[in-house]
Amino acid sequence: MRDLTMQWGARPVLDRVSLVMQPGERLAVVGPSGAGKSTVLRLLAGLQLPTSGELRLFERPQTYLRLDQTDPPDVRLVFQNPALLASLTVEQNVGFLLREQGQLTREEIRERVEACLEAVGLFDVAHQYPGELSGGMQKRVSFARALIDNPQRGDEAMPLLLYDEPTAGLDPVACTRIEDLIVKTTTVAKGCSVVVSHVRSTIERSAERVVMVYGGHFQWSGSVEEFRTTDNPYVEQFRTGSLRGPMQPSH
């Protein structure tokens, strides 16, 4: 991102922000509700375009995501809600993209789906339906779906994995499993990841670098260790949940 602005009416949600990610990096985007974190994900995913400024993915300008794109950027979004299709089995959900592309045989798709399910520890639920799984298991299925190979990509392709509140509403044990999966899926996919979260353990365990968003600006950026210790007033207020500080409570 370079001098990027995203504006709704007269109010800029993001105001001339700049950010560079390195290959293989895991980034957490944090801030209070309504600060623009989800807007960052939507821009990266191509669901929206910035009002002004530059956004480049894999050295190419980002454009609107379209179903008819022949060579779209390799961006994979894991929604806060797993967004699984209730009428399809787990295997059908995970392999949906490959079946739509029609470039692989049924056996090839099944093998790839099994490998992705095994990577998230769910090799034995392929024939179950989403409604038969717990919330944490559904989240893990959505991770497997994000991992599925794209046969249109070469071996050197590096996907960008986007996670929107991946541990919201989960118990601490389930959170730990998902946090470990974020690190694992980023490594398995040989890509980069951007995690939006309010959960401190998720921020500190799944990311290497943290960016604080508030008031339309990136107010602070640093390593996870620096996030734990910095006296930056925005980060300190976020860490402690204090009502006193530069950030006003959301309504």
Side-chain angles (χ1 to χ4, degrees), residues 119-130:
V120 300
L122 289 177
F123 58 90
D124 57 346
V125 302
H127 299 298
Q128 293 183 250
Y129 288 87

Side-chain angles (χ1 to χ4, degrees), residues 7-8 12 45 61 67 69 78 104 116 125 154 160 174 176 195 204 228:
Q7 194 161 331
W8 298 109
L67 293 178
Q69 280 180 281
V78 177
L104 301 177
C116 290
V125 302
L160 177 63
T176 298
V195 180
E204 295 184 356
R228 296 188 182 107

